[in-house]
Amino acid sequence: MTRGILYATLALGFLALCAMAGAIRTAAPAQAAEAVRARSLGQANDPKDCLNCHDDPKVTGVLHTPHGVKGDPATAFTTEGCQSCHGASEAHMGRPRDGEARVPPEVVFTGPHASAVATRNKLCLNCHQTAAADHWQGSAHASADVACTSCHASHPSKDPVLVKTSQAPICFTCHAEQRAANLRPSHHPVIEGVMTCGDCHNPHGSDGPNLIKTGTVNDLCLTCHDEKRGPFLWEHAPVQEQCTICHTPHGSVQARLLKQRPPYLCQTCHEETLHNSQPMSGNTLPGGATPSRIIALRACLNCHTEIHGSNHPSGIRFAR
Ligand code: HEC
Ligand code: HEC
Ligand code: HEC
Ligand code: HEC
Ligand code: HEC
Ligand code: HEC
Ligand code: HEC
Ligand code: HEC
Ligand code: HEC
Ligand code: HEC
């Protein structure tokens, strides 16, 4: 009899515990919409195993990226979930022993536990070898041990480096010189979000110099500044040779991205004695003959307006 009561009490107690556990479970935070969606994602390595502990929207954002697409076998999210990037990570999911820290996942991309760059890149390259990264091997960034995830973030619903307005600040974290140049008065409209570094460079690697997208600098500039292409009846030799003889691509204190101000720019090649441009030299003092037009305002360009080349029959001096 007493034994019967004991059993009944135990059974009741057990039921009560179950009910409490159930209540706790239903009241548990955060298993809202995300977890429901996550649960429907697939069976093996269900991301909900991770999402049980990682329900921060900063983390669950990955479910809304191309990587989180359910049913696309290429993303592997259907079958491997979070583990397709972070590795199986079984030890991480277990309970840490008293006084011990939690074992990090097999692949960590940021922070003090970050895996070796080679490990991280290999993981991304498993799937992206052919598409984005066909120039990657041996490129400036690969050789300098830059990680894919130094530029790319996988969890925000839109990767900031793929967004015009947020790309340059990511590049500037390492390229301070180009940042300084872009803040000068004359610059390509990159910080304004009209253009990106990626309009001129392929950060993954390229056949051209300095990671530029085209084989030569002139081909690059002429894709957007076609009117400078010619052919002209009268060509100006340095223009045909390389735009960056006179212009700097990133920014300048001189107007029009010029490396120097005319007349000095022109006089790096053309003898100053040709048209004297010394405002205060002996032969330009009162009575001397420096036409102010050579130094003032547009200097040489006051007369030689067609500096990139001329199609006028008598444009041999680029004056028309
Ligand atoms: C039982 C709870 C739990 C589970 C399940 C879990 N994590 Fe974690 N995870 C944590 C905690 C707690 C931390 C913070 C650890 C710390 O700060 O030391 C963490 C940290 C991380 C970090 C950052 C590691 C670092 O050192 O910066 C990553 C990445 C991560 N988890 C991914 C995952 C993935 C992927 C899964 C599923 C395979 C997963 N976690 C499953 C509790 C969990
Ligand atoms: C299991 C395969 C797989 C792995 C691992 C993987 N990706 Fe992807 N990734 C894909 C697929 C599939 C797409 C969607 C199709 C596409 O754009 O090529 C994609 C898309 C992308 C995109 C374009 C996103 C967009 O918004 O358009 C970027 C950037 C990217 N991945 C970077 C990475 C980085 C960085 C890593 C390593 C942290 C990585 N991927 C790991 C398969 C993978
Ligand atoms: C130096 C910064 C940087 C690094 C490092 C980098 N990427 Fe990218 N990635 C970019 C930029 C910028 C774009 C956008 C290019 C564009 O708009 O033409 C991009 C685009 C992509 C895309 C989308 C391509 C498409 O056509 O939609 C994928 C996928 C990608 N990167 C994968 C990788 C992988 C994998 C690695 C490492 C092997 C990597 N990236 C390293 C900056 C980088
Ligand atoms: C495409 C590869 C990829 C997938 C899939 C992926 N992650 Fe990540 N994870 C990353 C990268 C890269 C980072 C570094 C931060 C970033 O890029 O946003 C990261 C960072 C983290 C962090 C640390 C965040 C922080 O701010 O400290 C956690 C936690 C995490 N991931 C958990 C998960 C969970 C949970 C899933 C599945 C729902 C998942 N990851 C799926 C690539 C991935
Ligand atoms: C209008 C095209 C264009 C844009 C936009 C552009 N670059 Fe460049 N970049 C070039 C050219 C051309 C060179 C080669 C320089 C030369 O030949 O003098 C170059 C060279 C570089 C170099 C090599 C060092 C140097 O200055 O010569 C780095 C690093 C660089 N660019 C980073 C960036 C970053 C970061 C951005 C975005 C903020 C960016 N570039 C935007 C065209 C561009
Ligand atoms: C994590 C740091 C880092 C980030 C972020 C980064 N770079 Fe670089 N970049 C480097 C390093 C290191 C090199 C190789 C050393 C050098 O030439 O300065 C390099 C080289 C380059 C070069 C070639 C320079 C040359 O002399 O040939 C260009 C162009 C360039 N980066 C553009 C970019 C662009 C565009 C972005 C943003 C999409 C970017 N980088 C983001 C670190 C970075
Ligand atoms: C992807 C397109 C693109 C490429 C490539 C490009 N530019 Fe530009 N360039 C622009 C745009 C857009 C402007 C701004 C036009 C405006 O403000 O009206 C501009 C403006 C200029 C200006 C005038 C700047 C000023 O302050 O008035 C010069 C000079 C110039 N570019 C030279 C070059 C040179 C040299 C190259 C090659 C290294 C080049 N561009 C490559 C798009 C491009
Ligand atoms: C010999 C020096 C020199 C070379 C080389 C040169 N430019 Fe210029 N460029 C100038 C000068 C000087 C100006 C300013 C013209 C003015 O203010 O009327 C200018 C202005 C510009 C402008 C802005 C004003 C306009 O006319 O649209 C663009 C864009 C431009 N150059 C593109 C190029 C391109 C593209 C190349 C290479 C094919 C190139 N430049 C080569 C000297 C040069
Ligand atoms: C990098 C050197 C270089 C720079 C800088 C340069 N030029 Fe030239 N320029 C040349 C060369 C080379 C020729 C062709 C000379 C020849 O055919 O004898 C030329 C030809 C000319 C001609 C036609 C003269 C002739 O004999 O046919 C004029 C005018 C001219 N340049 C003006 C300018 C002006 C103005 C500037 C500054 C905006 C300038 N140049 C900058 C190298 C340069
Ligand atoms: C006031 C107008 C004017 C200004 C300003 C001017 N030039 Fe000239 N330039 C001319 C004329 C006109 C000729 C043609 C002279 C001739 O054919 O004998 C000429 C000829 C030239 C020639 C060809 C000389 C030769 O021997 O065939 C060059 C090179 C030249 N200028 C460069 C420059 C440079 C560089 C500057 C700025 C320092 C400049 N010019 C400023 C009007 C000007």
PDB file of all heavy atoms in Angstrom, residues 185-188 225 228 243 246-249 251-262 265 298 301 307-308:
ATOM      1  N   PRO A 185      40.132  67.236 -52.874  1.00  0.00           N
ATOM      2  CA  PRO A 185      39.026  67.911 -53.577  1.00  0.00           C
ATOM      3  C   PRO A 185      38.631  67.248 -54.898  1.00  0.00           C
ATOM      4  O   PRO A 185      37.459  67.162 -55.206  1.00  0.00           O
ATOM      5  CB  PRO A 185      39.574  69.323 -53.826  1.00  0.00           C
ATOM      6  CG  PRO A 185      40.694  69.507 -52.862  1.00  0.00           C
ATOM      7  CD  PRO A 185      41.228  68.158 -52.525  1.00  0.00           C
ATOM      8  N   SER A 186      39.606  66.808 -55.692  1.00  0.00           N
ATOM      9  CA  SER A 186      39.254  66.157 -56.948  1.00  0.00           C
ATOM     10  C   SER A 186      39.409  64.645 -56.787  1.00  0.00           C
ATOM     11  O   SER A 186      40.484  64.150 -56.462  1.00  0.00           O
ATOM     12  CB  SER A 186      40.173  66.668 -58.072  1.00  0.00           C
ATOM     13  OG  SER A 186      39.920  65.956 -59.264  1.00  0.00           O
ATOM     14  N   HIS A 187      38.314  63.923 -56.971  1.00  0.00           N
ATOM     15  CA  HIS A 187      38.374  62.462 -56.822  1.00  0.00           C
ATOM     16  C   HIS A 187      37.241  61.815 -57.600  1.00  0.00           C
ATOM     17  O   HIS A 187      36.243  62.475 -57.902  1.00  0.00           O
ATOM     18  CB  HIS A 187      38.280  62.071 -55.337  1.00  0.00           C
ATOM     19  CG  HIS A 187      37.045  62.598 -54.657  1.00  0.00           C
ATOM     20  ND1 HIS A 187      37.047  63.749 -53.919  1.00  0.00           N
ATOM     21  CD2 HIS A 187      35.774  62.157 -54.637  1.00  0.00           C
ATOM     22  CE1 HIS A 187      35.825  63.993 -53.457  1.00  0.00           C
ATOM     23  NE2 HIS A 187      35.022  63.039 -53.890  1.00  0.00           N
ATOM     24  N   HIS A 188      37.403  60.558 -57.954  1.00  0.00           N
ATOM     25  CA  HIS A 188      36.276  59.811 -58.519  1.00  0.00           C
ATOM     26  C   HIS A 188      35.211  59.680 -57.432  1.00  0.00           C
ATOM     27  O   HIS A 188      35.546  59.516 -56.253  1.00  0.00           O
ATOM     28  CB  HIS A 188      36.735  58.428 -59.017  1.00  0.00           C
ATOM     29  CG  HIS A 188      37.285  58.460 -60.406  1.00  0.00           C
ATOM     30  ND1 HIS A 188      38.619  58.342 -60.678  1.00  0.00           N
ATOM     31  CD2 HIS A 188      36.668  58.606 -61.604  1.00  0.00           C
ATOM     32  CE1 HIS A 188      38.806  58.424 -61.989  1.00  0.00           C
ATOM     33  NE2 HIS A 188      37.636  58.584 -62.585  1.00  0.00           N
ATOM     34  N   HIS A 225      35.478  56.799 -70.169  1.00  0.00           N
ATOM     35  CA  HIS A 225      35.779  58.093 -70.801  1.00  0.00           C
ATOM     36  C   HIS A 225      36.072  57.883 -72.277  1.00  0.00           C
ATOM     37  O   HIS A 225      37.147  58.215 -72.778  1.00  0.00           O
ATOM     38  CB  HIS A 225      36.960  58.769 -70.091  1.00  0.00           C
ATOM     39  CG  HIS A 225      36.698  59.048 -68.646  1.00  0.00           C
ATOM     40  ND1 HIS A 225      35.772  59.969 -68.219  1.00  0.00           N
ATOM     41  CD2 HIS A 225      37.214  58.498 -67.518  1.00  0.00           C
ATOM     42  CE1 HIS A 225      35.736  59.996 -66.890  1.00  0.00           C
ATOM     43  NE2 HIS A 225      36.603  59.103 -66.443  1.00  0.00           N
ATOM     44  N   LYS A 228      37.733  60.190 -75.021  1.00  0.00           N
ATOM     45  CA  LYS A 228      39.180  60.443 -75.082  1.00  0.00           C
ATOM     46  C   LYS A 228      39.905  59.371 -75.908  1.00  0.00           C
ATOM     47  O   LYS A 228      41.122  59.378 -76.019  1.00  0.00           O
ATOM     48  CB  LYS A 228      39.790  60.442 -73.663  1.00  0.00           C
ATOM     49  CG  LYS A 228      39.120  61.399 -72.682  1.00  0.00           C
ATOM     50  CD  LYS A 228      39.588  62.820 -72.878  1.00  0.00           C
ATOM     51  CE  LYS A 228      39.065  63.761 -71.810  1.00  0.00           C
ATOM     52  NZ  LYS A 228      37.645  64.159 -72.002  1.00  0.00           N
ATOM     53  N   CYS A 243      47.162  57.286 -69.436  1.00  0.00           N
ATOM     54  CA  CYS A 243      46.427  58.392 -68.797  1.00  0.00           C
ATOM     55  C   CYS A 243      47.072  58.806 -67.478  1.00  0.00           C
ATOM     56  O   CYS A 243      47.040  59.982 -67.094  1.00  0.00           O
ATOM     57  CB  CYS A 243      44.983  57.983 -68.528  1.00  0.00           C
ATOM     58  SG  CYS A 243      44.147  57.217 -69.931  1.00  0.00           S
ATOM     59  N   CYS A 246      49.573  61.912 -66.505  1.00  0.00           N
ATOM     60  CA  CYS A 246      49.107  63.227 -66.045  1.00  0.00           C
ATOM     61  C   CYS A 246      48.067  63.140 -64.930  1.00  0.00           C
ATOM     62  O   CYS A 246      47.946  64.063 -64.134  1.00  0.00           O
ATOM     63  CB  CYS A 246      48.511  64.012 -67.209  1.00  0.00           C
ATOM     64  SG  CYS A 246      49.689  64.373 -68.524  1.00  0.00           S
ATOM     65  N   HIS A 247      47.278  62.054 -64.898  1.00  0.00           N
ATOM     66  CA  HIS A 247      46.195  61.941 -63.907  1.00  0.00           C
ATOM     67  C   HIS A 247      46.542  60.901 -62.849  1.00  0.00           C
ATOM     68  O   HIS A 247      47.252  59.933 -63.115  1.00  0.00           O
ATOM     69  CB  HIS A 247      44.887  61.489 -64.582  1.00  0.00           C
ATOM     70  CG  HIS A 247      44.330  62.462 -65.560  1.00  0.00           C
ATOM     71  ND1 HIS A 247      43.735  63.639 -65.191  1.00  0.00           N
ATOM     72  CD2 HIS A 247      44.266  62.424 -66.924  1.00  0.00           C
ATOM     73  CE1 HIS A 247      43.324  64.291 -66.276  1.00  0.00           C
ATOM     74  NE2 HIS A 247      43.641  63.579 -67.344  1.00  0.00           N
ATOM     75  N   THR A 248      45.974  61.096 -61.661  1.00  0.00           N
ATOM     76  CA  THR A 248      46.040  60.068 -60.638  1.00  0.00           C
ATOM     77  C   THR A 248      44.625  59.516 -60.456  1.00  0.00           C
ATOM     78  O   THR A 248      43.660  60.278 -60.473  1.00  0.00           O
ATOM     79  CB  THR A 248      46.608  60.640 -59.323  1.00  0.00           C
ATOM     80  OG1 THR A 248      46.313  59.713 -58.281  1.00  0.00           O
ATOM     81  CG2 THR A 248      45.979  61.963 -58.960  1.00  0.00           C
ATOM     82  N   PRO A 249      44.461  58.209 -60.328  1.00  0.00           N
ATOM     83  CA  PRO A 249      43.094  57.685 -60.311  1.00  0.00           C
ATOM     84  C   PRO A 249      42.321  57.979 -59.025  1.00  0.00           C
ATOM     85  O   PRO A 249      41.103  58.057 -59.053  1.00  0.00           O
ATOM     86  CB  PRO A 249      43.295  56.172 -60.485  1.00  0.00           C
ATOM     87  CG  PRO A 249      44.691  55.898 -60.045  1.00  0.00           C
ATOM     88  CD  PRO A 249      45.465  57.136 -60.337  1.00  0.00           C
ATOM     89  N   GLY A 251      42.762  60.481 -56.311  1.00  0.00           N
ATOM     90  CA  GLY A 251      42.425  61.791 -55.780  1.00  0.00           C
ATOM     91  C   GLY A 251      43.600  62.740 -55.835  1.00  0.00           C
ATOM     92  O   GLY A 251      44.756  62.319 -55.765  1.00  0.00           O
ATOM     93  N   SER A 252      43.291  64.036 -56.000  1.00  0.00           N
ATOM     94  CA  SER A 252      44.351  65.030 -56.142  1.00  0.00           C
ATOM     95  C   SER A 252      43.895  66.369 -55.582  1.00  0.00           C
ATOM     96  O   SER A 252      42.703  66.668 -55.547  1.00  0.00           O
ATOM     97  CB  SER A 252      44.708  65.190 -57.623  1.00  0.00           C
ATOM     98  OG  SER A 252      45.601  66.275 -57.801  1.00  0.00           O
ATOM     99  N   VAL A 253      44.866  67.170 -55.144  1.00  0.00           N
ATOM    100  CA  VAL A 253      44.536  68.529 -54.732  1.00  0.00           C
ATOM    101  C   VAL A 253      44.403  69.428 -55.962  1.00  0.00           C
ATOM    102  O   VAL A 253      43.877  70.531 -55.873  1.00  0.00           O
ATOM    103  CB  VAL A 253      45.581  69.122 -53.753  1.00  0.00           C
ATOM    104  CG1 VAL A 253      45.507  68.400 -52.418  1.00  0.00           C
ATOM    105  CG2 VAL A 253      46.980  69.021 -54.339  1.00  0.00           C
ATOM    106  N   GLN A 254      44.887  68.972 -57.122  1.00  0.00           N
ATOM    107  CA  GLN A 254      44.712  69.729 -58.368  1.00  0.00           C
ATOM    108  C   GLN A 254      43.377  69.352 -58.993  1.00  0.00           C
ATOM    109  O   GLN A 254      42.916  68.222 -58.842  1.00  0.00           O
ATOM    110  CB  GLN A 254      45.839  69.404 -59.364  1.00  0.00           C
ATOM    111  CG  GLN A 254      47.238  69.517 -58.797  1.00  0.00           C
ATOM    112  CD  GLN A 254      47.563  70.904 -58.271  1.00  0.00           C
ATOM    113  OE1 GLN A 254      46.917  71.886 -58.633  1.00  0.00           O
ATOM    114  NE2 GLN A 254      48.545  71.000 -57.393  1.00  0.00           N
ATOM    115  N   ALA A 255      42.793  70.310 -59.727  1.00  0.00           N
ATOM    116  CA  ALA A 255      41.541  70.030 -60.423  1.00  0.00           C
ATOM    117  C   ALA A 255      41.755  68.882 -61.411  1.00  0.00           C
ATOM    118  O   ALA A 255      42.886  68.594 -61.818  1.00  0.00           O
ATOM    119  CB  ALA A 255      41.064  71.281 -61.158  1.00  0.00           C
ATOM    120  N   ARG A 256      40.680  68.252 -61.801  1.00  0.00           N
ATOM    121  CA  ARG A 256      40.691  67.226 -62.850  1.00  0.00           C
ATOM    122  C   ARG A 256      41.650  66.084 -62.562  1.00  0.00           C
ATOM    123  O   ARG A 256      42.264  65.531 -63.472  1.00  0.00           O
ATOM    124  CB  ARG A 256      41.059  67.836 -64.212  1.00  0.00           C
ATOM    125  CG  ARG A 256      40.184  68.997 -64.668  1.00  0.00           C
ATOM    126  CD  ARG A 256      38.771  68.606 -64.809  1.00  0.00           C
ATOM    127  NE  ARG A 256      37.991  69.609 -65.523  1.00  0.00           N
ATOM    128  CZ  ARG A 256      36.661  69.650 -65.500  1.00  0.00           C
ATOM    129  NH1 ARG A 256      35.999  68.772 -64.770  1.00  0.00           N
ATOM    130  NH2 ARG A 256      36.020  70.561 -66.180  1.00  0.00           N
ATOM    131  N   LEU A 257      41.813  65.762 -61.301  1.00  0.00           N
ATOM    132  CA  LEU A 257      42.670  64.633 -60.925  1.00  0.00           C
ATOM    133  C   LEU A 257      44.072  64.740 -61.510  1.00  0.00           C
ATOM    134  O   LEU A 257      44.734  63.724 -61.753  1.00  0.00           O
ATOM    135  CB  LEU A 257      42.020  63.312 -61.383  1.00  0.00           C
ATOM    136  CG  LEU A 257      40.818  62.825 -60.561  1.00  0.00           C
ATOM    137  CD1 LEU A 257      40.067  61.721 -61.310  1.00  0.00           C
ATOM    138  CD2 LEU A 257      41.282  62.282 -59.212  1.00  0.00           C
ATOM    139  N   LEU A 258      44.539  65.984 -61.768  1.00  0.00           N
ATOM    140  CA  LEU A 258      45.877  66.128 -62.349  1.00  0.00           C
ATOM    141  C   LEU A 258      46.947  65.950 -61.278  1.00  0.00           C
ATOM    142  O   LEU A 258      46.760  66.295 -60.116  1.00  0.00           O
ATOM    143  CB  LEU A 258      46.008  67.503 -63.022  1.00  0.00           C
ATOM    144  CG  LEU A 258      45.177  67.662 -64.301  1.00  0.00           C
ATOM    145  CD1 LEU A 258      45.232  69.109 -64.800  1.00  0.00           C
ATOM    146  CD2 LEU A 258      45.651  66.699 -65.396  1.00  0.00           C
ATOM    147  N   LYS A 259      48.078  65.381 -61.690  1.00  0.00           N
ATOM    148  CA  LYS A 259      49.164  65.145 -60.748  1.00  0.00           C
ATOM    149  C   LYS A 259      49.871  66.436 -60.373  1.00  0.00           C
ATOM    150  O   LYS A 259      50.435  66.548 -59.286  1.00  0.00           O
ATOM    151  CB  LYS A 259      50.181  64.176 -61.365  1.00  0.00           C
ATOM    152  CG  LYS A 259      49.665  62.749 -61.411  1.00  0.00           C
ATOM    153  CD  LYS A 259      50.749  61.819 -61.939  1.00  0.00           C
ATOM    154  CE  LYS A 259      50.464  60.382 -61.568  1.00  0.00           C
ATOM    155  NZ  LYS A 259      51.382  59.455 -62.266  1.00  0.00           N
ATOM    156  N   GLN A 260      49.856  67.387 -61.322  1.00  0.00           N
ATOM    157  CA  GLN A 260      50.479  68.686 -61.093  1.00  0.00           C
ATOM    158  C   GLN A 260      49.635  69.727 -61.789  1.00  0.00           C
ATOM    159  O   GLN A 260      48.845  69.385 -62.675  1.00  0.00           O
ATOM    160  CB  GLN A 260      51.868  68.720 -61.730  1.00  0.00           C
ATOM    161  CG  GLN A 260      53.010  68.434 -60.803  1.00  0.00           C
ATOM    162  CD  GLN A 260      54.328  68.566 -61.554  1.00  0.00           C
ATOM    163  OE1 GLN A 260      54.606  67.793 -62.475  1.00  0.00           O
ATOM    164  NE2 GLN A 260      55.123  69.552 -61.183  1.00  0.00           N
ATOM    165  N   ARG A 261      49.842  70.976 -61.450  1.00  0.00           N
ATOM    166  CA  ARG A 261      49.071  72.042 -62.075  1.00  0.00           C
ATOM    167  C   ARG A 261      49.800  72.504 -63.338  1.00  0.00           C
ATOM    168  O   ARG A 261      51.015  72.664 -63.309  1.00  0.00           O
ATOM    169  CB  ARG A 261      48.990  73.203 -61.071  1.00  0.00           C
ATOM    170  CG  ARG A 261      48.139  74.379 -61.489  1.00  0.00           C
ATOM    171  CD  ARG A 261      48.010  75.345 -60.320  1.00  0.00           C
ATOM    172  NE  ARG A 261      49.157  76.236 -60.169  1.00  0.00           N
ATOM    173  CZ  ARG A 261      49.380  77.316 -60.921  1.00  0.00           C
ATOM    174  NH1 ARG A 261      48.573  77.623 -61.912  1.00  0.00           N
ATOM    175  NH2 ARG A 261      50.425  78.090 -60.690  1.00  0.00           N
ATOM    176  N   PRO A 262      49.081  72.702 -64.473  1.00  0.00           N
ATOM    177  CA  PRO A 262      49.742  73.392 -65.586  1.00  0.00           C
ATOM    178  C   PRO A 262      50.095  74.802 -65.117  1.00  0.00           C
ATOM    179  O   PRO A 262      49.340  75.347 -64.291  1.00  0.00           O
ATOM    180  CB  PRO A 262      48.670  73.442 -66.686  1.00  0.00           C
ATOM    181  CG  PRO A 262      47.628  72.424 -66.297  1.00  0.00           C
ATOM    182  CD  PRO A 262      47.680  72.340 -64.807  1.00  0.00           C
ATOM    183  N   LEU A 265      52.916  70.894 -64.978  1.00  0.00           N
ATOM    184  CA  LEU A 265      52.664  69.560 -65.518  1.00  0.00           C
ATOM    185  C   LEU A 265      53.250  69.441 -66.926  1.00  0.00           C
ATOM    186  O   LEU A 265      53.990  68.501 -67.234  1.00  0.00           O
ATOM    187  CB  LEU A 265      51.146  69.303 -65.553  1.00  0.00           C
ATOM    188  CG  LEU A 265      50.697  68.027 -66.262  1.00  0.00           C
ATOM    189  CD1 LEU A 265      51.033  66.807 -65.421  1.00  0.00           C
ATOM    190  CD2 LEU A 265      49.188  68.052 -66.551  1.00  0.00           C
ATOM    191  N   ARG A 298      43.994  78.752 -66.522  1.00  0.00           N
ATOM    192  CA  ARG A 298      44.184  77.437 -67.143  1.00  0.00           C
ATOM    193  C   ARG A 298      45.558  77.310 -67.793  1.00  0.00           C
ATOM    194  O   ARG A 298      45.844  76.308 -68.460  1.00  0.00           O
ATOM    195  CB  ARG A 298      43.053  77.174 -68.133  1.00  0.00           C
ATOM    196  CG  ARG A 298      41.687  77.111 -67.405  1.00  0.00           C
ATOM    197  CD  ARG A 298      40.508  77.241 -68.346  1.00  0.00           C
ATOM    198  NE  ARG A 298      40.623  76.431 -69.551  1.00  0.00           N
ATOM    199  CZ  ARG A 298      40.477  75.123 -69.593  1.00  0.00           C
ATOM    200  NH1 ARG A 298      40.196  74.478 -68.485  1.00  0.00           N
ATOM    201  NH2 ARG A 298      40.603  74.480 -70.717  1.00  0.00           N
ATOM    202  N   LEU A 301      46.523  75.628 -71.064  1.00  0.00           N
ATOM    203  CA  LEU A 301      45.238  75.202 -71.622  1.00  0.00           C
ATOM    204  C   LEU A 301      44.397  76.377 -72.108  1.00  0.00           C
ATOM    205  O   LEU A 301      43.389  76.188 -72.784  1.00  0.00           O
ATOM    206  CB  LEU A 301      44.454  74.398 -70.580  1.00  0.00           C
ATOM    207  CG  LEU A 301      45.158  73.140 -70.067  1.00  0.00           C
ATOM    208  CD1 LEU A 301      44.408  72.565 -68.882  1.00  0.00           C
ATOM    209  CD2 LEU A 301      45.308  72.112 -71.164  1.00  0.00           C
ATOM    210  N   ILE A 307      43.789  69.005 -75.326  1.00  0.00           N
ATOM    211  CA  ILE A 307      45.016  68.386 -74.836  1.00  0.00           C
ATOM    212  C   ILE A 307      45.043  66.867 -75.036  1.00  0.00           C
ATOM    213  O   ILE A 307      46.107  66.250 -75.061  1.00  0.00           O
ATOM    214  CB  ILE A 307      45.243  68.783 -73.350  1.00  0.00           C
ATOM    215  CG1 ILE A 307      46.714  68.701 -73.014  1.00  0.00           C
ATOM    216  CG2 ILE A 307      44.414  67.940 -72.403  1.00  0.00           C
ATOM    217  CD1 ILE A 307      47.556  69.647 -73.822  1.00  0.00           C
ATOM    218  N   HIS A 308      43.866  66.261 -75.207  1.00  0.00           N
ATOM    219  CA  HIS A 308      43.853  64.802 -75.409  1.00  0.00           C
ATOM    220  C   HIS A 308      43.972  64.408 -76.872  1.00  0.00           C
ATOM    221  O   HIS A 308      44.047  63.220 -77.187  1.00  0.00           O
ATOM    222  CB  HIS A 308      42.577  64.197 -74.806  1.00  0.00           C
ATOM    223  CG  HIS A 308      42.476  64.434 -73.337  1.00  0.00           C
ATOM    224  ND1 HIS A 308      41.720  65.446 -72.810  1.00  0.00           N
ATOM    225  CD2 HIS A 308      43.056  63.814 -72.282  1.00  0.00           C
ATOM    226  CE1 HIS A 308      41.825  65.438 -71.491  1.00  0.00           C
ATOM    227  NE2 HIS A 308      42.642  64.466 -71.143  1.00  0.00           N
TER     228      HIS A 308
END
